[in-house]
Amino acid sequence: MSPLDLLDIDASLGEEERQIRVVVRQLVDDRVRPHVAGWYEDGQVPARELAREFGKLGLLGMHLAGYGCAGASAVAYGLACLELEAGDSGVRSLVSVQGSLAMYAIWRFGSEEQKQRWLPAMAAGEAIGCFGLTEPDHGSDPGSMATRARRDGDDWVLNGTKMWITNAPIADVGVIWARTDEGVRGFAVPMDTPGVTAREIRRKMSLRASLTGEIALDDVRLPADARLPEAVGLKAPLSCLTEARYGIVWGALGAARDCLETALSYATTRTQFGRPLAGFQLTQAKLADMAVEWNKGLLLALHLGRLADAGKLRPEQVSVGKLNNVREALAIARECRTILGANGVSGEYPVMRHANNLESVLTYEGTSEIHQLVIGQRLTGLSAFA
Ligand SMILES: Cc1cc2nc3c(=O)[nH]c(=O)nc-3n(C[C@H](O)[C@H](O)[C@H](O)COP(=O)(O)OP(=O)(O)OC[C@H]3O[C@@H](n4cnc5c(N)ncnc54)[C@H](O)[C@@H]3O)c2cc1C
């Protein structure tokens, strides 16, 4: 048992949940850990290759049912996110965007034909999806989006720009959100449609082992059946974000665990003033405080997961989890960095990579401030942002 499991939370997991965790942890140990520092440094990741391997294990859209998806529980999906992000937040992002954003949107809002066309291939990792909501001038406020879809006969014609879109540079299908005369609608856009271009965003200092792009839509003509028929209004993309945020509640704890395990191991072997760093009270205070926060975060994730499996999880509860667990994971990563001293800034150790990654995780899928506002609205009954 991990010394980090102060509260014996492991004991409350079911056999299948533990089993999934073991399998994903092994995959991360074999396929991610040995290479990820290099991917991060180079700003490259073999995303297609990884997607196929994740697909073989049923990790893509694993919480969805049918169409080649595994139909796992929300808790099992969360544990998989935790293990993936213990490898790297960028690798977990690949899986989250594929499963919780692109696949979920098609699964929840698509026509039968769209589901048959895309979901089995996406579940297998043969087709990659992305989710285009954010624009250069509209991030936290997607309701103001400028991307337009207008009718031309039976066709739709899309114009606009989407920014910061995970997986875009290699995506086969983009779930693109656009304003129409009737309000916001979603479209399943084959990325090889004339008029679609995806440019990779380089020079990121965070999530470097994840591909991020800008999508330009220039008179993109789509047949009528490209629209996701059940997606009506902004609440459709927001419900997809709730799905993905749920995975982050767990995932962030994975990055934090990897930092904590690294710091624990470092502190017990590194000697200064004639004794291991772990023998100093100040170091133990840091380790104790971080372990307490980590265990609280895991209890929160598990609670939300059990609510999700009972069909009772509400969006503002996911905001509580995303706000707390990412904020605490980032604080843990930074504190662990101090325990490693100068080695903390080295790519030879994973800690600074996780800390840098968590800066993106803090911002995407709703910034911390937006989640505070969601919770504030629930508490006061007053919307401070809409
Ligand atoms: C690596 C990465 C990958 C991403 N992947 C995707 C993706 O796949 N698909 C996608 O659609 N998007 C993606 N995003 C975009 C992400 O969701 C947005 O960056 C995020 O929603 C914030 O938008 P913004 O960056 O425009 O910041 P802004 O909205 O401009 O916000 C800037 C700051 O102002 C604060 N702020 C804004 N409004 C308020 C308010 N009312 N009150 C108080 N403070 C406020 C914010 O909290 C933030 O601190 C990704 C981002 C990153 C970094």
Side-chain angles (χ1 to χ4, degrees):
M1 197 178 74
S2 164
L4 278 182
D5 186 14
L6 294 172
L7 304 177
D8 291 344
I9 300 172
D10 259 20
S12 55
L13 298 178
E15 189 47 43
E16 195 193 329
E17 291 164 353
R18 272 196 223 120
Q19 207 47 47
I20 285 176
R21 190 176 56 173
V22 168
V23 170
V24 182
R25 193 177 291 186
Q26 191 62 52
L27 177 79
V28 170
D29 283 348
D30 294 344
R31 284 296 289 121
V32 178
R33 277 186 204 286
H35 311 288
V36 66
W39 296 338
Y40 190 89
E41 207 169 317
D42 300 342
Q44 291 295 341
V45 59
R48 276 202 175 273
E49 224 175 277
L50 286 177
R52 285 198 188 95
E53 293 182 42
F54 295 158
K56 275 192 198 121
L57 278 186
L59 297 179
L60 303 176
M62 76 180 270
H63 62 308
L64 306 178
Y67 307 97
C69 303
S73 70
V75 170
Y77 173 54
L79 288 163
C81 289
L82 189 155
E83 294 303 329
L84 289 165
E85 196 150 350
D88 191 82
S89 303
V91 172
R92 197 268 308 140
S93 298
L94 167 66
V95 172
S96 288
V97 169
Q98 176 86 345
S100 288
L101 291 179
M103 290 176 72
Y104 177 79
I106 295 170
W107 182 86
R108 172 74 181 74
F109 301 114
S111 65
E112 188 54 35
E113 197 186 24
Q114 288 165 336
K115 293 178 194 181
Q116 297 288 357
R117 175 172 180 192
W118 293 112
L119 293 180
M122 292 171 86
E126 296 296 333
I128 304 283
C130 66
F131 183 89
L133 182 63
T134 304
E135 301 183 352
D137 295 329
H138 308 279
S140 300
D141 179 19
S144 309
M145 70 178 68
T147 298
R148 294 279 314 178
R150 66 175 168 82
R151 295 236 59 157
D152 185 17
D154 279 349
D155 292 349
W156 288 95
V157 179
L158 269 60
N159 279 286
T161 308
K162 296 292 176 181
M163 190 70 181
W164 293 109
I165 308 305
T166 303
N167 296 349
I170 55 159
D172 301 289
V173 58
V175 170
I176 302 291
W177 301 94
R179 178 179 305 289
T180 71
D181 287 343
E182 288 91 44
V184 172
R185 296 290 184 271
F187 298 84
V189 181
M191 294 293 281
D192 59 2
T193 308
V196 179
T197 43
R199 177 186 69 84
E200 188 176 349
I201 298 174
R202 304 287 302 173
R203 304 178 83 177
K204 280 180 300 168
M205 308 305 280
S206 171
L207 279 197
R208 291 180 56 75
S210 169
L211 301 172
T212 318
E214 175 185 350
I215 301 175
L217 304 152
D218 188 10
D219 279 334
V220 177
R221 182 169 290 275
L222 299 168
D225 62 7
R227 188 170 84 74
L228 301 174
E230 305 299 325
V232 177
L234 193 63
K235 65 181 190 304
L238 295 186
S239 74
C240 302
L241 294 179
T242 300
E243 290 290 304
R245 287 166 182 167
Y246 168 77
I248 293 173
V249 173
W250 289 85
L253 295 171
R257 187 190 71 197
D258 201 46
C259 292
L260 261 170
E261 285 178 350
T262 305
L264 257 177
S265 147
Y266 191 88
T268 46
T269 50
R270 168 88 173 168
T271 301
Q272 290 293 290
F273 300 100
R275 75 168 101 139
L277 297 176
F280 296 113
Q281 290 182 358
L282 287 176
T283 311
Q284 290 197 6
K286 289 180 185 179
L287 292 169
D289 285 350
M290 291 191 288
V292 166
E293 284 308 327
W294 190 82
N295 275 266
K296 281 156 66 180
L298 191 57
L299 277 180
L300 174 55
L302 190 57
H303 176 67
L304 297 183
R306 299 284 183 230
L307 283 178
D309 282 328
K312 291 181 179 163
L313 185 61
R314 296 195 306 267
E316 75 272 14
Q317 295 173 323
V318 179
S319 286
V320 172
K322 204 255 178 186
L323 174 65
N324 183 76
N325 285 10
V326 180
R327 195 162 59 182
E328 294 306 326
L330 184 54
I332 288 171
R334 287 175 178 158
E335 190 80 302
C336 286
R337 217 285 305 148
T338 68
I339 293 179
L340 271 73
N343 279 325
V345 307
S346 164
E348 298 295 324
Y349 293 87
V351 177
M352 188 101 171
R353 174 169 52 80
H354 285 307
N356 284 353
N357 282 339
L358 287 166
E359 294 289 347
S360 285
V361 180
L362 194 73
T363 287
Y364 70 21
E365 308 289 348
T367 63
S368 289
E369 293 80 5
I370 293 300
H371 291 295
Q372 286 173 318
L373 294 177
V374 169
I375 296 164
Q377 183 177 12
R378 172 74 187 180
L379 292 173
T380 64
L382 301 170
S383 168
F385 64 112

